[in-house]
Amino acid sequence: MAKGIAAAGGGDEELRMWLEDYVKNHPHHSTAVLSRAQYTGIARSALDSYLAGTYFLPRSMGGEGMNPRSSKIEGAIRAYRERVEGTVRHGIANTFVDTNTWRALKQACNIAMKENVIAVIYGRPGIGKSRGMVEYAVQEMNSYPISILCSRNVTVRYFVQEIAGSVGLDGQGATPRLEDMIAEKLRRSPRALFVDQANFLNERALGTVCHLWEKARIPIVLVGTKALFDRFMSSRMTEDVRAQLSSRVALHYLLPELTIKEVKGILKRGLGELATDDIVAQVYNEIGGIHRHVDMIVPRILDLKERNEDRLAAGEVKMSQIVTIAASRLMTGL
């Protein structure tokens, strides 16, 4: 019934059905939760109407009569969908896969959340840390965390201002004062702090993290490469500073890479019958258990297979050669 109503009112029916399924599969993310600024920022009543298929329905038919062309609701829902699902690359959906890496990250995050402590989680680039953090917020939390993505150019000032903006502060004033204002706001309205690529934070920025924890005692998850772990143990810091930082971290958690069984599952999804045991073993040996590499080799293999279809049929080229070339191009960035 709702499908017919939605079709009469206009709008993206596939998007509406996605939201309907999402709420059904994530009951802790009701429309009341999704209406918050950290999610869609759309009023709960509008989301309820959209789900019911009456948001764009003409008033003469009992609907809200909103114009699909000028309304912002579907843009906000699409943006949230992309945030939790990722983009579609090379025609292949960025589907979340339950792996040992994800389960280890989830366990570490659970400890941080339950005990209100700082957790340092690290692993090789491309292992699935960033996607795992997004998935944790979606699957396990009904209050979206403050999420900061760092780069090698991040400064202490920028880092503090990003956190300030996430809690509704304007980011003005001296940095120490701003830290105190953030801490006070988080003390009154606690939210977890998730920092991705935290290996780019310098000593002073890590000091900000520890200061916020000392004053607000919120769960904090720092995720990065092994350089993040090394930063806490760095001999370049004075013994006093190193001790101050390390003593505030409840756990350091090294994430495992994909197993060959998990690699096989991902390749089966992307390559189908081409993912024989021999091909899976070859891919695993060529590029290892890095999730991003396994995802990215699939379209390369498919492209090379299509280009060499006749030669494969004639026996002039073997799939093992296709995989070798695809792996070589992947690892050299071609």
Side-chain angles (χ1 to χ4, degrees):
M1 180 65 178
K3 183 175 181 179
I5 293 175
D12 186 339
E13 174 61 9
E14 190 276 333
L15 184 67
R16 190 198 68 79
M17 292 180 69
W18 173 85
L19 184 63
E20 187 177 81
D21 289 340
Y22 178 87
V23 173
K24 180 180 178 180
N25 295 326
H26 304 85
H28 57 297
H29 283 179
S30 63
T31 51
V33 172
L34 292 175
S35 67
R36 298 171 187 167
Q38 309 98 302
Y39 293 86
T40 68
I42 300 297
R44 177 182 182 180
S45 58
L47 290 173
D48 286 338
S49 177
Y50 183 79
L51 282 171
T54 58
Y55 189 73
F56 297 127
L57 197 68
R59 291 183 183 276
S60 61
M61 298 177 65
E64 300 291 328
M66 297 299 179
N67 187 338
R69 295 184 179 180
S70 59
S71 175
K72 297 180 180 179
I73 190 169
E74 290 192 330
I77 294 170
R78 286 192 190 97
Y80 179 68
R81 180 181 184 176
E82 184 167 315
R83 181 151 42 116
V84 300
E85 286 192 344
T87 55
V88 173
R89 300 192 303 271
H90 310 290
I92 300 173
N94 185 20
T95 308
F96 177 73
V97 180
D98 188 335
T99 64
N100 287 334
T101 306
W102 154 245
R103 289 188 286 274
L105 186 145
K106 178 179 176 180
Q107 181 180 3
C109 287
N110 281 342
I111 294 173
M113 297 298 297
K114 291 177 182 178
E115 300 181 12
N116 289 335
V117 295
I118 301 175
V120 171
I121 304 172
Y122 62 100
R124 292 180 63 185
I127 201 173
K129 302 183 296 294
S130 298
R131 182 61 194 274
M133 291 179 74
V134 171
E135 199 66 27
Y136 186 84
V138 169
Q139 290 194 19
E140 305 296 327
M141 303 176 72
N142 57 14
S143 180
Y144 210 81
I146 301 166
S147 297
I148 308 295
L149 175 64
C150 299
S151 74
R152 64 176 63 256
N153 297 315
V154 70
T155 63
V156 178
R157 179 67 179 172
Y158 176 82
F159 179 62
V160 174
Q161 287 179 321
E162 282 291 286
I163 300 175
S166 297
V167 298
L169 298 173
D170 62 13
Q172 301 302 310
T175 300
R177 173 60 180 156
L178 196 53
E179 289 176 341
D180 287 339
M181 292 170 64
I182 294 169
E184 179 58 22
K185 189 138 190 181
L186 289 175
R187 189 184 66 80
R188 294 180 179 181
S189 303
R191 282 175 63 193
L193 172 61
F194 284 10
V195 183
D196 195 7
Q197 296 189 168
N199 44 286
F200 291 124
L201 295 180
N202 61 23
E203 178 183 321
R204 289 181 59 200
L206 290 174
T208 292
V209 170
C210 292
H211 179 75
L212 294 179
W213 181 78
E214 283 286 355
K215 287 208 154 190
R217 295 299 169 113
I218 56 170
I220 297 178
V221 178
L222 305 178
V223 176
T225 63
K226 186 175 181 295
L228 174 61
F229 173 79
D230 293 339
R231 182 64 54 84
F232 279 90
M233 305 301 173
S234 174
S235 59
R236 287 176 293 181
M237 295 181 185
T238 65
E239 185 65 34
D240 181 58
V241 170
R242 187 164 63 249
Q244 289 290 325
L245 292 176
S246 297
S247 66
R248 286 163 173 75
V249 177
L251 73 155
H252 295 275
Y253 216 103
L254 173 62
L255 297 178
E257 297 178 15
L258 296 173
T259 65
I260 191 169
K261 182 178 180 180
E262 291 169 338
V263 170
K264 182 176 182 178
I266 296 170
L267 292 179
K268 280 287 187 183
R269 183 191 66 199
L271 298 178
E273 294 181 357
L274 293 176
T276 63
D277 288 345
D278 287 343
I279 293 299
V280 170
Q282 183 183 357
V283 169
Y284 186 77
N285 291 331
E286 295 265 10
I287 64 174
I290 302 300
H291 201 154
R292 185 183 301 156
H293 289 170
V294 178
D295 271 342
M296 294 178 71
I297 200 173
V298 170
R300 286 168 169 79
I301 291 174
L302 293 175
D303 180 59
L304 286 168
K305 175 182 177 293
E306 183 177 352
R307 292 185 185 187
N308 292 274
E309 203 72 63
D310 292 340
R311 297 181 68 193
L312 281 166
E316 297 173 8
V317 174
K318 296 181 179 180
M319 275 304 300
S320 59
Q321 293 173 295
I322 295 289
V323 171
T324 296
I325 295 172
S328 175
R329 290 183 177 181
L330 173 64
M331 303 310 286
T332 56
L334 297 177

